[in-house]
Amino acid sequence: MMQASEAINIVWFLGVIAALALLFVAGLKLPVRLGYASRAVSAALVGAVAVAVVILANVALFRHDAHLDFTREKAFTPSAEAGEVVRGLAEPIDIAYFYQKQNPGAVALGAMLRQLERDNGNFRVRLIDADQNPALASSFGVRTYNSAVLRSGERRIEVVTTDDREIALGVLRLLRRREVVICFAAGNGEYDIDNFEFHTHFEGAHSHSHDASGSAVVQMEQHGIGRLRRAIEKLGVAARKISFATGQPIPDDCGVVVEANPRTRYSPGQTELMRRYLERGGSAMFLIEPDYELDDSLAALLATSGIKVGNGVIVDPKEHYFTDEQMIAVSHYGVHPITRGLTLSFYPGARPLEMVPTAGLKLTPLAVSSSEAYVIADRLGNDSTAVSTLRASRIIAVAVEGQLNETASSIFRMVVAGDADFASNSFFPYLANSDVVLAALAWLTHDERAPTMKPPVEVLPTVSLTGEQMRGIFIVTVLLMPGLIAFAGGAMWWLRR
C-alpha cells in the first residue's frame, strides 16, 4: 500500500515534469527577437528570464525535494523505525559518518542519512570520505571504515554499520539518560544468556522435543537466550546474570529479573527474596515451560500476584503455526502497552494460565489461543489424554501491575508466560516473537513511552516455497529440462543416421 509521503513525492515529480514540458513548449514559441527591442537586448532579456526560471526552479526543488524508490525491497529508503526515531528528536544530534566510497552499502546509507536529515533539523549529518580525510578521521578517533560518530552535548558513541536501523539504535542509546540493567536469573538451570546457538534441543526416543519430557531423553546443548541478550545490549541496556539461590538478595539496580525456563524447583528462601524484591517495586518476567513443576511457595507468590499457572499443554486445532497444533499462533492481543503494533507471534508448546481477580492489581491477558483450544497432559500425548476437553480460549501470557500486598512500599510489574521457547535462540528472531519479548521488557523497565525500535537479528537465509511452486520446480528441473535434452539428442541422431 502506498504511503502518503510517497504519493506526495510522486505528485511533486509529475509537477516538475509538467513544468519542464511547459517551459519547453514556451521556449519553442518564444520569438528569437522581440519586436520592440534590438537583437542584443532581446538575447539579454531571454537569458535573464531563463536564469531566473532556473534559479526559482532549483529553489522549489530544494524546498520540496522528492525521493522516489522503485526497488521492491526499498533499498534506498530509510526504515520506518529509523524515521520514527529521527522525527521524534527534541534535541540536536550531530552525526559524522566516515564511509568507504567503494562500499555500495555505505554510499546508500549516506543517501538515507541525508533523507533523514530533512525530516528533522535536530538531526545534523556530515558525510566524510575516510580515504580523502584520514587526518579528520584520526581526530575523531575513528579507526574503521563506515564508522558513525554520534554526539549530543558531552556524550559520544561510535557505531560501525551500513544499516540505518543501527544508526537509529545508536541515537536511542545516546539519548538514554539512565542506566537500565536486566538481570537474568541463574542457578536453577535457566536458559543461558551466554549461549548463542541458533537451534538446540532435546532428542527423545519417540520424537523431537523442546523440553525434558519423557524418560529416554538425551540432552543436547541447552537452549540459550544469547540472541535476546545481544538485542537488548544493542538498545543500550545492560544484561547481567544473578543468582539468589544462596540467599543473596536481589540487587536494587536490577530493573527487571528474568526467570527463563528454570529446571530445578525454587526453595522457599528464593521465593521470599523474590517477594521482597517485588514489594520494593521491582519487575519480573517468568517464562515457565509446561514440564516444569512449580514449588508451592512460588505458586503461592504468583497466585498472590493474580496468576494461577495451570498444568498440561495447549492444543489449538484452529490457530497454529505450520502443521503443529501445539505451536500456538497468536495474531490478536489484549489491549496493553506491550501489544501495540504486534503482528503474528507463535509459542511452541505452552501451558495454560488463569487470571485471579485481586484487589489492587490490574491484570491483562496479553496472548490467548483461539476458542477451539483444549489442554492435554504432555507434548507426547494425544486427544485421549486431554486434561480438559472443554474447547475455549486459553491464556498464554499475562501482564500484572499493582501492589503485591498491603505492606508493599511500591507498585510492581510482572509478565508471566506459559512458554519459554518463543524467547530462545531457536524462535526469537522469527515473526513477532522478538517484538513481544522486547516490548514486555520495555514495559517492565518503565520505558514503554520510548520510540519502539527492534534491533536487527541475525537470521540464516531461508527460502519458503508453496506446494505449487515446488511442483513447478520439479516439473521443470526433473521432467522438462532432461526431456528436452533427450528429445534434442534423439532428433540429432535421427537427422544424422
Side-chain angles (χ1 to χ4, degrees):
M1 185 175 180
M2 183 180 297
Q3 298 181 354
S5 59
E6 292 180 346
I8 293 174
N9 285 339
I10 291 176
V11 170
W12 274 107
F13 176 74
L14 295 177
V16 170
I17 295 298
L20 290 175
L22 181 62
L23 288 174
F24 180 75
V25 173
L28 292 178
K29 295 184 174 295
L30 186 68
V32 177
R33 180 178 178 181
L34 301 177
Y36 55 85
S38 64
R39 184 180 296 273
V41 173
S42 298
L45 289 174
V46 170
V49 171
V51 170
V53 169
V54 169
I55 292 175
L56 292 175
N58 278 275
V59 170
L61 288 174
F62 179 79
R63 293 176 61 88
H64 303 282
D65 194 9
H67 171 73
L68 300 176
D69 186 354
F70 293 106
T71 60
R72 180 180 178 182
E73 300 82 6
K74 299 298 180 183
F76 303 98
T77 302
S79 64
E81 299 96 333
E84 180 183 358
V85 170
V86 170
R87 285 190 293 272
L89 286 178
E91 56 185 274
I93 288 181
D94 295 294
I95 295 182
Y97 185 52
F98 294 86
Y99 66 96
Q100 184 183 28
K101 198 172 184 179
Q102 293 77 22
N103 189 320
V107 175
L109 176 58
M112 287 188 280
L113 290 176
R114 286 299 186 200
Q115 296 174 46
L116 292 171
E117 186 180 30
R118 290 195 292 267
D119 291 339
N120 191 330
N122 288 323
F123 190 73
R124 301 181 297 211
V125 177
R126 185 180 179 188
L127 301 179
I128 304 167
D129 188 334
D131 291 322
Q132 294 183 0
N133 300 274
L136 184 58
S138 180
S139 67
F140 274 81
V142 171
R143 298 289 183 270
T144 309
Y145 282 120
N146 308 326
S147 295
V149 178
L150 287 70
R151 293 180 298 177
S152 177
E154 299 298 323
R155 303 191 66 191
R156 175 190 186 276
I157 65 171
E158 182 177 340
V159 181
V160 180
T161 186
T162 58
D163 190 337
D164 65 303
R165 293 175 298 172
E166 296 280 3
I167 298 293
L169 289 170
V171 171
L172 294 180
R173 292 201 302 272
L174 189 67
L175 297 178
R176 191 177 294 278
R177 299 305 184 195
R178 63 186 179 97
E179 183 182 8
V180 178
V181 180
I182 296 180
C183 297
F184 291 85
N188 290 86
E190 294 90 349
Y191 284 162
D192 191 356
I193 62 173
D194 295 324
N195 185 331
F196 293 91
E197 293 293 329
F198 285 4
H199 183 68
T200 51
H201 55 266
F202 295 88
E203 290 292 346
H206 302 288
S207 67
H208 173 92
S209 174
H210 282 88
D211 60 45
S213 60
S215 58
V217 174
V218 178
Q219 182 175 350
M220 308 299 288
E221 188 75 24
Q222 275 192 334
H223 264 299
I225 49 175
R227 282 180 156 182
L228 171 58
R229 171 190 173 181
R230 185 176 293 161
I232 64 176
E233 287 178 343
K234 286 184 177 181
L235 290 169
V237 177
R240 182 203 305 165
K241 288 183 184 179
I242 62 168
S243 177
F244 48 95
T246 57
Q248 295 288 337
I250 298 175
D252 289 332
D253 64 344
C254 287
V256 183
V257 175
V258 179
E259 184 62 83
N261 190 25
R263 295 289 84 203
T264 59
R265 297 180 61 162
Y266 261 48
S267 66
Q270 284 180 275
T271 303
E272 182 59 26
L273 292 173
M274 178 62 74
R275 181 190 300 276
R276 293 175 186 173
Y277 170 72
L278 295 175
E279 287 176 347
R280 300 197 304 267
S283 298
M285 173 185 285
F286 287 90
L287 308 179
I288 305 173
E289 280 288 293
D291 66 321
Y292 180 67
E293 185 178 355
L294 273 75
D295 176 76
D296 291 340
S297 62
L298 180 57
L301 175 60
L302 294 177
T304 303
S305 305
I307 301 171
K308 179 181 177 182
V309 180
N311 296 318
V313 180
I314 301 173
V315 178
D316 194 337
K318 183 179 179 181
E319 298 290 342
H320 55 268
Y321 193 56
F322 285 122
T323 59
D324 189 351
E325 295 184 354
Q326 296 180 23
M327 191 174 290
I328 313 301
V330 176
S331 58
H332 301 286
Y333 304 88
V335 179
H336 193 271
I338 294 176
T339 60
R340 282 200 303 258
L342 289 181
T343 55
L344 180 69
S345 60
F346 65 99
Y347 304 82
R351 67 194 303 167
L353 305 177
E354 296 180 23
M355 295 191 305
V356 181
T358 306
L361 298 180
K362 180 182 179 181
L363 294 111
T364 305
L366 300 177
V368 297
S369 67
S370 75
S371 59
E372 297 296 317
Y374 59 94
V375 180
I376 60 176
D378 57 66
R379 293 183 178 182
L380 301 180
N382 51 45
D383 293 359
S384 62
T385 63
V387 173
S388 173
T389 57
L390 176 65
R391 305 283 178 133
S393 295
R394 311 287 176 169
I395 298 176
I396 300 172
V398 178
V400 58
E401 180 179 16
Q403 282 190 303
L404 191 63
N405 49 47
E406 295 180 355
T407 62
S409 59
S410 300
I411 293 176
F412 80 101
R413 288 183 174 183
M414 182 187 293
V415 171
V416 179
D419 177 48
D421 282 343
F422 81 100
S424 69
N425 293 334
S426 297
F427 304 104
F428 177 75
Y430 301 104
L431 299 181
N433 283 17
S434 59
D435 295 322
V436 174
V437 182
L438 295 175
L441 291 175
W443 179 73
L444 290 170
T445 57
H446 301 269
D447 205 20
E448 67 271 20
R449 295 184 182 276
T452 56
M453 183 74 196
K454 182 179 74 172
V457 181
E458 299 84 356
V459 181
L460 295 177
T462 58
V463 177
S464 299
L465 299 176
T466 64
E468 183 178 353
Q469 290 172 330
M470 294 177 66
R471 285 192 298 271
I473 292 174
F474 174 80
I475 291 173
V476 172
T477 60
V478 178
L479 300 179
L480 186 58
M481 293 178 64
L484 287 175
I485 293 173
F487 175 77
M492 186 62 65
W493 172 81
W494 178 265
L495 292 174
R496 292 186 176 184
R497 68 184 178 87

